[in-house]
Amino acid sequence: MNDFPDLSLDPERMPRHVAIVMDGNGRWATRRGLARLEGHRRGKDSVRAVVDAARELGIPYLTLFAFSSENWQRPSSEVRFLMQLLHRYLITETKRMMKRDIRLIALGDCSRLPAQVQKALRETVECTAGNRAMTVALAVSYSGRQEIVRAARRLAAEVASGGMRPEDIDEFAVASRLDTAGLPDPDLLIRTSGELRISNFFLFQLSYTELYFTETLWPDFREREFLAALSAYQRRERRFGSVDTAARPPLRVAN
Ligand code: FPP
């Protein structure tokens, strides 16, 4: 931990789950007169830096919003580049994840990804499945609304087949049919680049999440900025709708 600036983080009050909307790659590049793709390339280095920092800090769950369902509408050359970047990331990072005891899981409609990306994703997920120190959830081709629709369809099918009654459907039943089943709800959501939006991300899961927005563009978001976000989180008072500062969230989705 010696490389990190002292932001007086309390190890007892670390978030269990941090989710990040990685935004601003394009602006980072255009401000430098570079092609947007260069911003994505640099953004990949921030992914590595933040995963390493989270692992070192003992944060057990980290979700990275890497590609939204809406991102398919971007120019095909940019989509192709992002898919190549993701493919290369999976190939190169699997070894590092094994060394660091990191498990990778995927959220979203992965069936839309190119076949070779699906294959690499499947292989990394399988290879790292037994790792326990940290879970990195990669949200790719992800849409919060579509995820809720998929969960609703699953529940409807279970009711139609007689496996469950409508009155059995509660928050836990919905949560356990989302892509994030088994993960705790995020304690902290970080969005970079100054945009103050949720953008169809984790619509069910963010109910009691602390939100942190920073002007820093994703390619510039490294350990120092991550620690600043965690420090801001630790200064928040979480009451979950109660007056009691020791209150717990009304729904803990996971283990
Ligand atoms: C948003 O910036 C970023 C993306 C749509 C892609 C995120 C991808 C990476 C961080 C790099 C690769 C990731 C992995 C996991 C290998 P933007 O292009 O919307 O930026 P802008 O709003 O400035 O245009």
Side-chain angles (χ1 to χ4, degrees):
M1 229 40 124
N2 293 338
D3 298 345
F4 292 152
D6 179 19
L7 282 162
S8 308
L9 290 177
D10 177 355
E12 301 297 316
R13 298 184 58 230
M14 280 296 173
R16 282 184 78 201
H17 184 176
V18 179
I20 308 184
V21 178
M22 309 182 286
D23 198 7
N25 293 351
R27 272 163 288 167
W28 183 92
T30 46
R31 279 178 201 174
R32 286 165 177 75
L34 302 169
R36 289 177 55 81
L37 309 186
E38 210 44 54
H40 296 315
R41 208 195 306 274
R42 282 289 292 251
K44 190 161 79 108
D45 299 338
S46 297
V47 169
R48 175 183 275 190
V50 169
V51 169
D52 284 354
R55 170 69 182 88
E56 225 177 304
L57 290 162
I59 293 170
Y61 297 94
L62 176 70
T63 294
L64 300 169
F65 196 5
F67 193 85
S68 73
S69 302
E70 293 76 20
N71 288 155
W72 290 115
Q73 297 161 30
R74 292 190 175 202
S76 59
S77 55
E78 183 168 341
V79 170
R80 207 166 33 245
F81 185 83
L82 282 166
M83 290 300 133
Q84 282 166 1
L85 214 53
L86 180 57
H87 186 251
R88 215 168 311 137
Y89 173 80
L90 292 166
I91 302 294
T92 59
E93 296 303 290
T94 303
K95 216 184 283 169
R96 296 182 92 242
M97 288 184 192
M98 292 309 290
K99 215 182 278 174
R100 289 166 173 71
D101 196 23
I102 297 172
R103 171 175 76 129
L104 185 102
I105 62 169
L107 313 174
D109 180 7
C110 298
S111 68
R112 291 187 70 184
L113 299 171
Q116 62 163 359
V117 177
Q118 285 191 43
K119 181 168 177 282
L121 195 51
R122 216 170 23 245
E123 284 171 1
T124 306
V125 167
E126 280 169 16
C127 180
T128 62
N131 293 345
R132 286 290 169 266
M134 177 167 85
T135 297
V136 172
L138 214 49
V140 277
S141 191
Y142 175 87
S143 145
R145 285 186 175 177
Q146 285 174 18
E147 180 192 33
I148 291 171
V149 168
R150 284 197 299 275
R153 284 190 183 151
R154 279 181 203 134
L155 287 165
E158 287 174 54
V159 169
S161 69
M164 137 180 252
R165 296 169 304 167
E167 56 270 33
D168 295 331
I169 299 175
D170 56 13
E171 291 183 21
F172 187 81
V174 176
S176 60
R177 283 155 184 86
L178 295 172
D179 297 354
T180 48
L183 304 189
D185 286 343
D187 299 297
L188 172 64
L189 172 79
I190 298 170
R191 181 169 189 154
T192 57
S193 90
E195 305 293 356
L196 307 179
R197 290 189 287 274
I198 298 301
S199 297
N200 203 4
F201 182 57
F202 274 5
L203 298 181
F204 187 88
Q205 297 89 337
L206 293 178
S207 300
Y208 287 95
T209 301
E210 294 295 325
L211 308 179
Y212 177 86
F213 298 101
T214 171
E215 293 288 329
T216 303
L217 304 174
W218 178 250
D220 289 330
F221 192 93
R222 300 289 164 97
E223 291 89 346
R224 185 177 292 271
E225 290 73 24
F226 189 50
L227 293 177
L230 295 172
S231 174
Y233 167 81
Q234 292 197 340
R235 291 193 300 274
R236 306 268 178 97
E237 192 178 86
R238 303 183 78 194
R239 293 192 304 276
F240 306 104
S242 160
V243 290
D244 179 0
T245 54
R248 306 286 298 158
L251 170 75
R252 292 299 292 189
V253 170
N255 34 39

